[in-house]
Amino acid sequence: CIPGRKSRGKAVRYDKPRHRRRNRIEIMFGRLKDWRRVATRYDRCAKTFPSAIALAATVMFWL
């Protein structure tokens, strides 16, 4: 769902709404990686790591 470059000889078809949603998800992951605890994965436990991600996402949503 990624559009081709302008210099490409043959145009590649892509779905514009799907590409926009993909971009939003990439931005969200980039913002989550700004949190050092999530980026370096301090929490090794399978239960606490998703809770750290949920906490970071909640704080990002309110800010």
Side-chain angles (χ1 to χ4, degrees):
C1 71
I2 301 173
R5 296 181 182 252
K6 291 181 181 180
S7 62
R8 186 179 174 120
K10 185 179 178 185
V12 178
R13 293 181 50 181
Y14 72 100
D15 189 12
K16 208 172 229 183
R18 179 180 274 180
H19 179 65
R20 285 185 183 150
R21 287 190 305 247
R22 179 180 179 268
N23 188 24
R24 300 279 303 203
I25 291 171
E26 286 182 4
I27 289 170
M28 187 250 336
F29 275 111
R31 289 181 69 191
L32 270 176
K33 287 183 180 181
D34 287 342
W35 285 65
R36 184 176 178 183
R37 180 182 193 112
V38 174
T40 56
R41 193 161 181 183
Y42 283 153
D43 304 317
R44 299 287 180 190
C45 183
K47 285 185 179 180
T48 57
F49 184 66
S51 63
I53 291 176
L55 178 66
T58 303
V59 171
M60 285 184 342
F61 176 73
W62 288 107
L63 295 178

Short mmCIF file of all heavy atoms in Angstrom, two decimals:
data_model
loop_
_atom_site.label_atom_id
_atom_site.label_comp_id
_atom_site.label_asym_id
_atom_site.label_seq_id
_atom_site.Cartn_x
_atom_site.Cartn_y
_atom_site.Cartn_z
N CYS A 1 0.83 -1.20 0.00
CA CYS A 1 0.00 0.00 0.00
C CYS A 1 0.87 1.26 0.00
O CYS A 1 0.40 2.32 0.34
CB CYS A 1 -0.96 -0.02 1.17
SG CYS A 1 -0.20 0.22 2.75
N ILE A 2 2.14 1.15 -0.39
CA ILE A 2 3.02 2.31 -0.45
C ILE A 2 3.05 2.84 -1.88
O ILE A 2 3.23 2.08 -2.82
CB ILE A 2 4.44 1.93 0.01
CG1 ILE A 2 4.39 1.39 1.43
CG2 ILE A 2 5.38 3.11 -0.09
CD1 ILE A 2 5.71 0.84 1.90
N PRO A 3 2.85 4.15 -2.08
CA PRO A 3 2.88 4.69 -3.44
C PRO A 3 4.29 4.66 -4.03
O PRO A 3 5.28 4.71 -3.30
CB PRO A 3 2.40 6.13 -3.26
CG PRO A 3 2.66 6.47 -1.86
CD PRO A 3 2.57 5.18 -1.09
N GLY A 4 4.35 4.56 -5.36
CA GLY A 4 5.63 4.54 -6.04
C GLY A 4 6.22 5.93 -6.16
O GLY A 4 5.57 6.94 -5.92
N ARG A 5 7.48 5.99 -6.55
CA ARG A 5 8.14 7.27 -6.74
C ARG A 5 7.71 7.91 -8.06
O ARG A 5 7.27 7.23 -8.98
CB ARG A 5 9.65 7.08 -6.72
CG ARG A 5 10.16 6.59 -5.40
CD ARG A 5 11.67 6.46 -5.46
NE ARG A 5 12.16 5.94 -4.21
CZ ARG A 5 12.83 6.66 -3.32
NH1 ARG A 5 13.10 7.91 -3.58
NH2 ARG A 5 13.23 6.13 -2.20
N LYS A 6 7.89 9.22 -8.15
CA LYS A 6 7.51 9.93 -9.37
C LYS A 6 8.39 9.55 -10.55
O LYS A 6 7.95 9.56 -11.70
CB LYS A 6 7.58 11.44 -9.14
CG LYS A 6 6.54 11.95 -8.19
CD LYS A 6 6.64 13.45 -8.01
CE LYS A 6 5.60 13.93 -7.03
NZ LYS A 6 5.66 15.37 -6.83
N SER A 7 9.63 9.20 -10.29
CA SER A 7 10.56 8.89 -11.37
C SER A 7 10.38 7.47 -11.91
O SER A 7 11.03 7.11 -12.89
CB SER A 7 12.00 9.06 -10.87
OG SER A 7 12.25 8.16 -9.82
N ARG A 8 9.51 6.69 -11.30
CA ARG A 8 9.28 5.32 -11.75
C ARG A 8 8.58 5.35 -13.12
O ARG A 8 7.69 6.14 -13.35
CB ARG A 8 8.43 4.58 -10.73
CG ARG A 8 8.27 3.13 -11.04
CD ARG A 8 7.44 2.49 -9.94
NE ARG A 8 7.16 1.12 -10.29
CZ ARG A 8 7.53 0.08 -9.58
NH1 ARG A 8 8.17 0.27 -8.45
NH2 ARG A 8 7.26 -1.13 -9.97
N GLY A 9 8.99 4.46 -13.99
CA GLY A 9 8.43 4.44 -15.34
C GLY A 9 6.96 4.05 -15.36
O GLY A 9 6.14 4.72 -16.00
N LYS A 10 6.61 3.00 -14.68
CA LYS A 10 5.23 2.54 -14.65
C LYS A 10 4.63 2.84 -13.28
O LYS A 10 5.21 2.52 -12.25
CB LYS A 10 5.20 1.03 -14.90
CG LYS A 10 3.82 0.46 -15.01
CD LYS A 10 3.88 -1.03 -15.28
CE LYS A 10 2.48 -1.60 -15.35
NZ LYS A 10 2.51 -3.05 -15.49
N ALA A 11 3.47 3.46 -13.27
CA ALA A 11 2.83 3.84 -12.01
C ALA A 11 2.33 2.60 -11.26
O ALA A 11 1.82 1.66 -11.86
CB ALA A 11 1.65 4.77 -12.28
N VAL A 12 2.50 2.62 -9.96
CA VAL A 12 2.05 1.53 -9.10
C VAL A 12 0.75 1.94 -8.43
O VAL A 12 0.66 3.02 -7.86
CB VAL A 12 3.12 1.21 -8.02
CG1 VAL A 12 2.64 0.12 -7.10
CG2 VAL A 12 4.43 0.83 -8.67
N ARG A 13 -0.25 1.07 -8.51
CA ARG A 13 -1.52 1.38 -7.88
C ARG A 13 -1.42 1.13 -6.38
O ARG A 13 -0.79 0.18 -5.94
CB ARG A 13 -2.63 0.52 -8.46
CG ARG A 13 -2.90 0.86 -9.92
CD ARG A 13 -4.00 0.02 -10.46
NE ARG A 13 -5.15 0.08 -9.54
CZ ARG A 13 -6.27 -0.56 -9.70
NH1 ARG A 13 -6.43 -1.32 -10.75
NH2 ARG A 13 -7.26 -0.46 -8.84
N TYR A 14 -2.07 2.01 -5.62
CA TYR A 14 -2.10 1.83 -4.17
C TYR A 14 -3.41 2.39 -3.64
O TYR A 14 -4.07 3.19 -4.29
CB TYR A 14 -0.89 2.49 -3.51
CG TYR A 14 -0.93 4.00 -3.49
CD1 TYR A 14 -1.32 4.69 -2.36
CD2 TYR A 14 -0.56 4.74 -4.61
CE1 TYR A 14 -1.37 6.07 -2.34
CE2 TYR A 14 -0.60 6.11 -4.61
CZ TYR A 14 -1.00 6.78 -3.47
OH TYR A 14 -1.04 8.13 -3.46
N ASP A 15 -3.75 1.97 -2.46
CA ASP A 15 -4.99 2.39 -1.81
C ASP A 15 -4.68 3.59 -0.91
O ASP A 15 -3.98 3.44 0.10
CB ASP A 15 -5.56 1.22 -1.01
CG ASP A 15 -6.94 1.50 -0.48
OD1 ASP A 15 -7.55 2.50 -0.91
OD2 ASP A 15 -7.41 0.71 0.35
N LYS A 16 -5.16 4.77 -1.25
CA LYS A 16 -4.83 5.98 -0.52
C LYS A 16 -5.31 5.97 0.94
O LYS A 16 -4.54 6.30 1.84
CB LYS A 16 -5.42 7.19 -1.25
CG LYS A 16 -4.66 8.46 -1.03
CD LYS A 16 -5.17 9.55 -1.92
CE LYS A 16 -3.99 10.20 -2.60
NZ LYS A 16 -4.34 11.32 -3.43
N PRO A 17 -6.55 5.56 1.23
CA PRO A 17 -6.97 5.50 2.65
C PRO A 17 -6.15 4.51 3.48
O PRO A 17 -5.82 4.78 4.63
CB PRO A 17 -8.43 5.06 2.58
CG PRO A 17 -8.89 5.41 1.22
CD PRO A 17 -7.68 5.30 0.34
N ARG A 18 -5.80 3.39 2.90
CA ARG A 18 -4.98 2.40 3.61
C ARG A 18 -3.59 2.96 3.89
O ARG A 18 -3.02 2.74 4.97
CB ARG A 18 -4.87 1.12 2.80
CG ARG A 18 -4.03 0.08 3.48
CD ARG A 18 -3.94 -1.16 2.66
NE ARG A 18 -5.09 -1.99 2.97
CZ ARG A 18 -5.33 -3.16 2.43
NH1 ARG A 18 -4.51 -3.63 1.51
NH2 ARG A 18 -6.37 -3.86 2.77
N HIS A 19 -3.05 3.71 2.94
CA HIS A 19 -1.73 4.30 3.12
C HIS A 19 -1.76 5.33 4.26
O HIS A 19 -0.83 5.41 5.07
CB HIS A 19 -1.25 4.96 1.84
CG HIS A 19 0.08 5.62 1.95
ND1 HIS A 19 1.23 4.92 2.19
CD2 HIS A 19 0.44 6.93 1.89
CE1 HIS A 19 2.25 5.76 2.24
NE2 HIS A 19 1.79 6.98 2.08
N ARG A 20 -2.83 6.11 4.35
CA ARG A 20 -2.96 7.08 5.43
C ARG A 20 -3.03 6.40 6.79
O ARG A 20 -2.43 6.87 7.76
CB ARG A 20 -4.19 7.95 5.23
CG ARG A 20 -4.01 8.97 4.15
CD ARG A 20 -5.19 9.88 4.07
NE ARG A 20 -5.01 10.81 2.97
CZ ARG A 20 -5.99 11.32 2.27
NH1 ARG A 20 -7.24 11.01 2.55
NH2 ARG A 20 -5.75 12.15 1.30
N ARG A 21 -3.78 5.31 6.89
CA ARG A 21 -3.88 4.58 8.16
C ARG A 21 -2.52 4.00 8.54
O ARG A 21 -2.14 4.00 9.71
CB ARG A 21 -4.91 3.48 8.06
CG ARG A 21 -6.33 3.98 8.06
CD ARG A 21 -7.30 2.85 8.20
NE ARG A 21 -7.08 1.84 7.17
CZ ARG A 21 -7.94 1.56 6.20
NH1 ARG A 21 -9.08 2.21 6.12
NH2 ARG A 21 -7.66 0.63 5.32
N ARG A 22 -1.79 3.50 7.56
CA ARG A 22 -0.46 2.93 7.82
C ARG A 22 0.48 4.00 8.36
O ARG A 22 1.24 3.76 9.30
CB ARG A 22 0.08 2.35 6.52
CG ARG A 22 1.46 1.75 6.64
CD ARG A 22 1.89 1.22 5.28
NE ARG A 22 3.21 0.66 5.35
CZ ARG A 22 4.32 1.36 5.11
NH1 ARG A 22 4.25 2.61 4.77
NH2 ARG A 22 5.50 0.78 5.21
N ASN A 23 0.41 5.18 7.79
CA ASN A 23 1.24 6.28 8.23
C ASN A 23 0.94 6.65 9.67
O ASN A 23 1.85 6.89 10.46
CB ASN A 23 1.04 7.48 7.31
CG ASN A 23 2.03 8.59 7.59
OD1 ASN A 23 3.10 8.34 8.12
ND2 ASN A 23 1.66 9.79 7.25
N ARG A 24 -0.33 6.68 10.05
CA ARG A 24 -0.71 7.01 11.43
C ARG A 24 -0.13 5.99 12.42
O ARG A 24 0.32 6.33 13.49
CB ARG A 24 -2.23 7.06 11.58
CG ARG A 24 -2.95 8.07 10.72
CD ARG A 24 -2.88 9.41 11.31
NE ARG A 24 -3.44 9.35 12.65
CZ ARG A 24 -3.93 10.39 13.27
NH1 ARG A 24 -3.96 11.54 12.67
NH2 ARG A 24 -4.38 10.28 14.50
N ILE A 25 -0.14 4.73 12.03
CA ILE A 25 0.39 3.68 12.90
C ILE A 25 1.91 3.83 13.04
O ILE A 25 2.46 3.68 14.13
CB ILE A 25 0.00 2.29 12.36
CG1 ILE A 25 -1.50 2.10 12.51
CG2 ILE A 25 0.76 1.19 13.06
CD1 ILE A 25 -2.05 0.88 11.82
N GLU A 26 2.60 4.15 11.95
CA GLU A 26 4.04 4.35 12.03
C GLU A 26 4.39 5.53 12.92
O GLU A 26 5.35 5.48 13.69
CB GLU A 26 4.62 4.57 10.63
CG GLU A 26 4.70 3.31 9.81
CD GLU A 26 5.31 3.54 8.45
OE1 GLU A 26 5.76 4.67 8.18
OE2 GLU A 26 5.36 2.59 7.68
N ILE A 27 3.60 6.60 12.85
CA ILE A 27 3.82 7.76 13.71
C ILE A 27 3.61 7.38 15.17
O ILE A 27 4.37 7.78 16.05
CB ILE A 27 2.89 8.92 13.29
CG1 ILE A 27 3.34 9.49 11.95
CG2 ILE A 27 2.85 10.00 14.36
CD1 ILE A 27 2.37 10.47 11.34
N MET A 28 2.57 6.57 15.44
CA MET A 28 2.29 6.14 16.81
C MET A 28 3.45 5.33 17.37
O MET A 28 3.87 5.54 18.50
CB MET A 28 1.01 5.31 16.84
CG MET A 28 0.56 4.99 18.24
SD MET A 28 0.68 3.29 18.83
CE MET A 28 0.66 2.25 17.47
N PHE A 29 4.01 4.41 16.59
CA PHE A 29 5.15 3.61 17.06
C PHE A 29 6.37 4.50 17.28
O PHE A 29 7.13 4.29 18.23
CB PHE A 29 5.48 2.49 16.09
CG PHE A 29 4.66 1.26 16.31
CD1 PHE A 29 3.71 0.87 15.38
CD2 PHE A 29 4.82 0.50 17.45
CE1 PHE A 29 2.94 -0.26 15.58
CE2 PHE A 29 4.06 -0.64 17.66
CZ PHE A 29 3.12 -1.01 16.72
N GLY A 30 6.57 5.47 16.44
CA GLY A 30 7.67 6.40 16.63
C GLY A 30 7.54 7.18 17.92
O GLY A 30 8.53 7.40 18.64
N ARG A 31 6.33 7.62 18.24
CA ARG A 31 6.11 8.35 19.49
C ARG A 31 6.26 7.43 20.69
O ARG A 31 6.74 7.86 21.74
CB ARG A 31 4.74 9.00 19.47
CG ARG A 31 4.67 10.15 18.50
CD ARG A 31 3.33 10.81 18.49
NE ARG A 31 3.11 11.50 19.74
CZ ARG A 31 1.95 12.00 20.12
NH1 ARG A 31 0.90 11.86 19.33
NH2 ARG A 31 1.82 12.61 21.27
N LEU A 32 5.85 6.18 20.57
CA LEU A 32 6.02 5.24 21.68
C LEU A 32 7.50 4.99 21.96
O LEU A 32 7.90 4.80 23.10
CB LEU A 32 5.34 3.91 21.37
CG LEU A 32 3.89 3.76 21.79
CD1 LEU A 32 3.36 2.43 21.31
CD2 LEU A 32 3.71 3.91 23.27
N LYS A 33 8.33 4.99 20.91
CA LYS A 33 9.76 4.74 21.09
C LYS A 33 10.46 5.92 21.75
O LYS A 33 11.60 5.80 22.18
CB LYS A 33 10.41 4.39 19.76
CG LYS A 33 10.03 3.01 19.29
CD LYS A 33 10.73 2.66 18.02
CE LYS A 33 10.32 1.27 17.57
NZ LYS A 33 11.01 0.89 16.35
N ASP A 34 9.79 7.08 21.83
CA ASP A 34 10.36 8.20 22.57
C ASP A 34 10.40 7.92 24.06
O ASP A 34 11.18 8.52 24.79
CB ASP A 34 9.55 9.48 22.32
CG ASP A 34 9.78 10.04 20.93
OD1 ASP A 34 10.78 9.66 20.30
OD2 ASP A 34 8.95 10.85 20.49
N TRP A 35 9.56 7.00 24.51
CA TRP A 35 9.56 6.60 25.91
C TRP A 35 10.70 5.60 26.10
O TRP A 35 10.69 4.51 25.54
CB TRP A 35 8.22 5.95 26.27
CG TRP A 35 7.12 6.93 26.41
CD1 TRP A 35 6.61 7.71 25.43
CD2 TRP A 35 6.41 7.25 27.60
NE1 TRP A 35 5.61 8.49 25.93
CE2 TRP A 35 5.48 8.22 27.27
CE3 TRP A 35 6.49 6.79 28.92
CZ2 TRP A 35 4.61 8.75 28.20
CZ3 TRP A 35 5.62 7.32 29.83
CH2 TRP A 35 4.71 8.30 29.48
N ARG A 36 11.67 5.97 26.89
CA ARG A 36 12.85 5.14 27.07
C ARG A 36 12.51 3.76 27.61
O ARG A 36 13.09 2.75 27.21
CB ARG A 36 13.82 5.84 28.01
CG ARG A 36 15.12 5.11 28.16
CD ARG A 36 16.05 5.89 29.02
NE ARG A 36 17.28 5.12 29.19
CZ ARG A 36 18.27 5.50 29.93
NH1 ARG A 36 18.19 6.63 30.58
NH2 ARG A 36 19.33 4.75 30.05
N ARG A 37 11.57 3.70 28.52
CA ARG A 37 11.19 2.42 29.13
C ARG A 37 10.65 1.45 28.08
O ARG A 37 10.91 0.26 28.11
CB ARG A 37 10.14 2.67 30.21
CG ARG A 37 9.69 1.44 30.90
CD ARG A 37 8.61 1.77 31.92
NE ARG A 37 8.39 0.66 32.78
CZ ARG A 37 8.69 0.63 34.06
NH1 ARG A 37 9.23 1.67 34.63
NH2 ARG A 37 8.46 -0.44 34.76
N VAL A 38 9.90 1.96 27.11
CA VAL A 38 9.33 1.10 26.07
C VAL A 38 10.38 0.77 25.02
O VAL A 38 10.48 -0.37 24.56
CB VAL A 38 8.11 1.78 25.42
CG1 VAL A 38 7.58 0.98 24.25
CG2 VAL A 38 7.00 1.98 26.46
N ALA A 39 11.19 1.76 24.63
CA ALA A 39 12.17 1.56 23.56
C ALA A 39 13.25 0.54 23.95
O ALA A 39 13.66 -0.28 23.13
CB ALA A 39 12.82 2.88 23.19
N THR A 40 13.69 0.60 25.21
CA THR A 40 14.75 -0.31 25.62
C THR A 40 14.20 -1.58 26.26
O THR A 40 14.96 -2.47 26.60
CB THR A 40 15.70 0.37 26.62
OG1 THR A 40 14.94 0.86 27.72
CG2 THR A 40 16.45 1.49 25.95
N ARG A 41 12.91 -1.62 26.45
CA ARG A 41 12.20 -2.75 27.03
C ARG A 41 12.79 -3.17 28.38
O ARG A 41 13.31 -4.27 28.55
CB ARG A 41 12.18 -3.94 26.06
CG ARG A 41 11.19 -4.98 26.53
CD ARG A 41 10.78 -5.91 25.46
NE ARG A 41 9.82 -6.83 26.05
CZ ARG A 41 9.28 -7.82 25.43
NH1 ARG A 41 9.57 -8.03 24.19
NH2 ARG A 41 8.42 -8.60 26.02
N TYR A 42 12.69 -2.23 29.31
CA TYR A 42 13.15 -2.51 30.67
C TYR A 42 12.34 -3.64 31.30
O TYR A 42 12.86 -4.44 32.05
CB TYR A 42 13.02 -1.28 31.56
CG TYR A 42 14.09 -0.25 31.34
CD1 TYR A 42 13.86 1.08 31.61
CD2 TYR A 42 15.35 -0.61 30.89
CE1 TYR A 42 14.83 2.03 31.43
CE2 TYR A 42 16.33 0.34 30.70
CZ TYR A 42 16.06 1.66 30.98
OH TYR A 42 17.04 2.60 30.80
N ASP A 43 11.04 -3.67 31.02
CA ASP A 43 10.17 -4.69 31.61
C ASP A 43 10.26 -5.96 30.77
O ASP A 43 9.73 -6.03 29.67
CB ASP A 43 8.72 -4.21 31.65
CG ASP A 43 8.59 -2.90 32.40
OD1 ASP A 43 9.23 -2.79 33.45
OD2 ASP A 43 7.86 -2.03 31.92
N ARG A 44 10.92 -6.96 31.28
CA ARG A 44 11.09 -8.21 30.53
C ARG A 44 9.89 -9.14 30.69
O ARG A 44 9.72 -10.05 29.91
CB ARG A 44 12.35 -8.93 30.99
CG ARG A 44 13.60 -8.15 30.76
CD ARG A 44 13.94 -8.12 29.31
NE ARG A 44 15.16 -7.33 29.12
CZ ARG A 44 15.60 -6.97 27.96
NH1 ARG A 44 14.95 -7.32 26.88
NH2 ARG A 44 16.68 -6.26 27.84
N CYS A 45 9.10 -8.91 31.70
CA CYS A 45 7.96 -9.78 31.97
C CYS A 45 6.88 -9.57 30.91
O CYS A 45 6.62 -8.44 30.48
CB CYS A 45 7.41 -9.50 33.36
SG CYS A 45 6.05 -10.57 33.82
N ALA A 46 6.25 -10.64 30.49
CA ALA A 46 5.22 -10.57 29.46
C ALA A 46 3.98 -9.81 29.92
O ALA A 46 3.22 -9.30 29.10
CB ALA A 46 4.83 -11.97 29.01
N LYS A 47 3.76 -9.71 31.22
CA LYS A 47 2.59 -8.99 31.73
C LYS A 47 2.85 -7.49 31.87
O LYS A 47 1.98 -6.68 31.58
CB LYS A 47 2.17 -9.53 33.09
CG LYS A 47 1.47 -10.85 33.03
CD LYS A 47 1.00 -11.23 34.42
CE LYS A 47 0.26 -12.54 34.41
NZ LYS A 47 -0.20 -12.90 35.76
N THR A 48 4.03 -7.13 32.30
CA THR A 48 4.29 -5.72 32.59
C THR A 48 4.64 -4.90 31.35
O THR A 48 4.38 -3.70 31.33
CB THR A 48 5.41 -5.57 33.63
OG1 THR A 48 6.58 -6.21 33.15
CG2 THR A 48 5.00 -6.15 34.96
N PHE A 49 5.20 -5.51 30.34
CA PHE A 49 5.56 -4.74 29.14
C PHE A 49 4.33 -4.19 28.42
O PHE A 49 4.29 -2.99 28.09
CB PHE A 49 6.42 -5.58 28.19
CG PHE A 49 6.90 -4.81 26.99
CD1 PHE A 49 7.78 -3.76 27.13
CD2 PHE A 49 6.46 -5.13 25.73
CE1 PHE A 49 8.22 -3.04 26.04
CE2 PHE A 49 6.89 -4.43 24.62
CZ PHE A 49 7.77 -3.37 24.78
N PRO A 50 3.27 -5.00 28.15
CA PRO A 50 2.07 -4.41 27.53
C PRO A 50 1.41 -3.35 28.41
O PRO A 50 0.84 -2.38 27.89
CB PRO A 50 1.14 -5.61 27.33
CG PRO A 50 2.03 -6.79 27.31
CD PRO A 50 3.17 -6.45 28.21
N SER A 51 1.51 -3.50 29.73
CA SER A 51 0.93 -2.48 30.59
C SER A 51 1.73 -1.18 30.50
O SER A 51 1.16 -0.10 30.58
CB SER A 51 0.85 -2.97 32.03
OG SER A 51 2.13 -3.22 32.55
N ALA A 52 3.05 -1.27 30.31
CA ALA A 52 3.87 -0.07 30.12
C ALA A 52 3.51 0.61 28.81
O ALA A 52 3.44 1.85 28.73
CB ALA A 52 5.35 -0.42 30.15
N ILE A 53 3.25 -0.17 27.78
CA ILE A 53 2.83 0.41 26.49
C ILE A 53 1.47 1.08 26.63
O ILE A 53 1.25 2.18 26.11
CB ILE A 53 2.81 -0.68 25.40
CG1 ILE A 53 4.22 -1.13 25.09
CG2 ILE A 53 2.12 -0.17 24.14
CD1 ILE A 53 4.30 -2.25 24.10
N ALA A 54 0.55 0.43 27.33
CA ALA A 54 -0.78 1.01 27.54
C ALA A 54 -0.68 2.31 28.33
O ALA A 54 -1.37 3.29 28.02
CB ALA A 54 -1.68 0.01 28.26
N LEU A 55 0.16 2.35 29.33
CA LEU A 55 0.35 3.56 30.12
C LEU A 55 0.92 4.68 29.26
O LEU A 55 0.45 5.83 29.30
CB LEU A 55 1.26 3.28 31.31
CG LEU A 55 1.58 4.47 32.20
CD1 LEU A 55 0.31 4.94 32.89
CD2 LEU A 55 2.63 4.10 33.21
N ALA A 56 1.93 4.38 28.46
CA ALA A 56 2.54 5.38 27.59
C ALA A 56 1.53 5.90 26.56
O ALA A 56 1.46 7.10 26.32
CB ALA A 56 3.76 4.79 26.89
N ALA A 57 0.75 5.00 25.98
CA ALA A 57 -0.26 5.42 25.00
C ALA A 57 -1.32 6.29 25.64
O ALA A 57 -1.79 7.26 25.03
CB ALA A 57 -0.89 4.19 24.35
N THR A 58 -1.71 5.96 26.86
CA THR A 58 -2.72 6.76 27.56
C THR A 58 -2.20 8.16 27.84
O THR A 58 -2.91 9.15 27.63
CB THR A 58 -3.11 6.07 28.89
OG1 THR A 58 -3.57 4.76 28.60
CG2 THR A 58 -4.19 6.85 29.60
N VAL A 59 -0.97 8.26 28.32
CA VAL A 59 -0.40 9.58 28.60
C VAL A 59 -0.24 10.37 27.31
O VAL A 59 -0.53 11.58 27.29
CB VAL A 59 0.95 9.43 29.33
CG1 VAL A 59 1.69 10.74 29.44
CG2 VAL A 59 0.74 8.82 30.71
N MET A 60 0.19 9.74 26.22
CA MET A 60 0.32 10.44 24.94
C MET A 60 -1.02 10.93 24.43
O MET A 60 -1.13 12.00 23.85
CB MET A 60 0.95 9.52 23.88
CG MET A 60 2.41 9.33 24.07
SD MET A 60 3.25 8.37 22.80
CE MET A 60 2.00 7.49 21.96
N PHE A 61 -2.08 10.15 24.68
CA PHE A 61 -3.41 10.55 24.22
C PHE A 61 -3.88 11.81 24.96
O PHE A 61 -4.47 12.69 24.36
CB PHE A 61 -4.40 9.40 24.45
CG PHE A 61 -5.82 9.74 24.11
CD1 PHE A 61 -6.21 9.85 22.80
CD2 PHE A 61 -6.74 9.98 25.12
CE1 PHE A 61 -7.52 10.17 22.48
CE2 PHE A 61 -8.04 10.30 24.80
CZ PHE A 61 -8.43 10.41 23.49
N TRP A 62 -3.59 11.90 26.24
CA TRP A 62 -4.06 13.03 27.03
C TRP A 62 -3.19 14.25 26.86
O TRP A 62 -3.60 15.35 27.19
CB TRP A 62 -4.14 12.65 28.50
CG TRP A 62 -5.29 11.72 28.76
CD1 TRP A 62 -5.21 10.41 29.03
CD2 TRP A 62 -6.68 12.05 28.71
NE1 TRP A 62 -6.46 9.88 29.15
CE2 TRP A 62 -7.39 10.86 28.97
CE3 TRP A 62 -7.40 13.21 28.47
CZ2 TRP A 62 -8.78 10.81 29.00
CZ3 TRP A 62 -8.78 13.15 28.50
CH2 TRP A 62 -9.45 11.98 28.77
N LEU A 63 -1.97 14.08 26.35
CA LEU A 63 -1.11 15.23 26.13
C LEU A 63 -1.21 15.61 24.70
O LEU A 63 -1.24 16.44 24.09
CB LEU A 63 0.35 14.91 26.47
CG LEU A 63 0.62 14.61 27.93
CD1 LEU A 63 2.08 14.26 28.11
CD2 LEU A 63 0.27 15.78 28.80
#
